[in-house]
Amino acid sequence: MAQISIRNVRKSYAKQEVVHGVDLEVATGEFIVILGPSGCGKSTLLRMIAGLESVTSGDITIDNRVVNDLEPHQRGCAMVFQNYALYPHMTVAENIGYALKVAGLPKVDRLARVQAVATSVGLTEFLERRPGQLSGGQRQRVAMARAIIREPKVFLFDEPLSNLDAKLRVQMRHEIRRIHNHIHATSVFVTHDQQEGMTLADRLVVMNKGVIEQVGTPEEIYHRPASVYVGGFIGSPAMNFLSGQISAQDSAVVLANGAKIPLPVPLAAAHDGQFTQIGLRPEELALVPAGKGAFDAAFEFAEELGAARLYHFQFEDLMLTVLSADKPAVEKGKPMGIRIGAGAVHLFAADTGKRLSAKVGSRERELV
Amino acid sequence: MRRAYFKNNWIAALMVTPQLIVVFTFFYFPASQAMYWAFTLEQPWGGGNTWVGLDNFRAILSDDLYWSSVWLSIVFALGSTALAVGMALILAIFVDRQLAGYKAYKIGMIWPYAIAAPAVGLAFRFIFSPGAGIMMFVNQVFPDLWNPVENGTQAMAMVILAGAWKQVAYNFIFFLAGLQSIPRSLIEAGAMDGARTLRRMRDIQLPLLAPTFFFVLVINITDSFTDSFGIIDTMTAGGPSRATNLMVYKIFNDGFQGLDYSGAAAQSIILMGLVIALTFVQFRYIERKVHYT
Ligand SMILES: Nc1ncnc2c1ncn2[C@@H]1O[C@H](COP(=O)(O)OP(=O)(O)OP(=O)(O)O)[C@@H](O)[C@H]1O
Ligand SMILES: [Mg+2]
């Protein structure tokens, strides 16, 4: 169990900087998920914590000790790799026990610990097999066991579930959470799968292009995305974006075609005249007869999801998606009214992409 | 695997013919001649050969000189292989660890293998000549320390060194390729597990290199039986007093200097059998050796 601080950490390969000054505090026992698209630098950040990659500038501390120049094993971190990285020439038991063997633990103690850990992840029957003779899920467990046995202060995961099929992935997700609740090691988990991130995280870190876009609980990030990027990245189906201008007089944001989406007075007042990107989540929109909603849009097609359906509309030159559980009568090309739920409007500055709130600066008093 | 099929068999035949001609003229024809000589004996006053069955082989196998050449060949094979494999492994590990500029180094390293054995022999003959080159200075400081022309052990050490030097490059390429095909994440997992460089090498890299290691080992031993000819011929000509008279050189000596065609042919059949056996071991046991997935 340990607390991790990352202070203005940068990483360059040759002349190219790929991590541009990251600050992050991870509390003891916390489960942090770093979420971001491919190539955004999540693995690089994780590997810098692990000690597998040097830090170009900035500091990483674990329990208030700067670890920048420590060897990986001196940092008390264990890591689960994406491709598991099991030693192919060793049996499962040898794989799990390797760290203890290197540490010079006597064989009897080692076997006992291997046995105990193998039992906890359900691997007892496979101890004598080689990794090549295991299924993907079993290999995943071996990788977990190999990390657990070291009783690390910090658990690092680099997309450990991405090679598994959808069902197994969910199952292993639960397993990882269960193990975390049991041993409470500080965990940093990297993924590009937002569902995985949302479900596992105590706090979520959304990264993009080598910077952190937002840090918060999954709920905060879903309900109050700090930027257009986070809004669009988190949530499935993805958020709709429209452009408009805020009018304090109308207490609304006015779209290009004159339609008005009402806003709370303080929010509109704080940003009068500002050009804005309006984020609307498909699940917070509702379908009503034409003319009854905030604006009308022409129906294009629907997708069946089982419990609900996705309705796709043409609005101006954009596509708009609405998630609805009831079955309104729609017809291709015919307009439908789109109703916007109370408090469902996310406003972002058109130029910076940052979230607009009622009061800028100092302590935010968010009314939307 | 995809295969190309030729609709027209004539084209296919045309394409394989040059290869077949080469193989027949330079392998099957001489081999069959050697067979013929090995089982026959030329009559003393001419008049063709007479069939003698296994007599030629019996004569060789009861000849102490032959057994001494077998023993010397084994010493040469083990010595040069151990040296070449060991050196190549060390070099490959160094290059694998710091990749900067390794490509240029790799190209530089392969050159010795491209040099013909007699050229290697000539170069080393100069290097090790007691009266010239580096060893001359050694001899000036310690008189008579180095004289492979008279000292059989030194002569053997010298040809082993030359043979190994030529082989190192080839082995190096295989070892480097083998080391680099070990996923980096395995090494990193080892580092996370607390193993330092040498420990990781011992527990992870070397075991995973085992298939490459055995492959290289057999190739080296096989090569040392046949490819040593050029080196021996230029450096020692089998001497001093037969101290470096390896099997392959003895064949040449008996056949072309001693004009004992039948004896030489029988020896070359035995050597061929040995090489075939080693190649068989290679295919049968090493190719099939567990490849970890
Ligand atoms: N060894 C390296 N040398 C040069 N550039 C690198 C190296 N490793 C990573 N990069 C670059 O750094 C950036 C971040 O890579 P990183 O592996 O951290 O991405 P990621 O967020 O983990 O992506 P993914 O989800 O695909 O794993 C990428 O643009 C990548 O090309
Ligand atoms: Mg990655």
Side-chain angles (χ1 to χ4, degrees), chain A residues 74-86:
Chain A
Q74 295 170 318
R75 302 185 180 197
C77 303
M79 181 147 163
V80 180
F81 293 81
Q82 174 168 5
N83 57 6
Y84 318 134
L86 302 179

Side-chain angles (χ1 to χ4, degrees), chain B residues 57-74:
Chain B
F57 290 93
R58 268 186 217 113
I60 291 164
L61 294 179
S62 57
D63 181 357
D64 285 346
L65 282 180
Y66 181 69
W67 284 110
S68 115
S69 85
V70 170
W71 169 242
L72 290 172
S73 291
I74 292 174

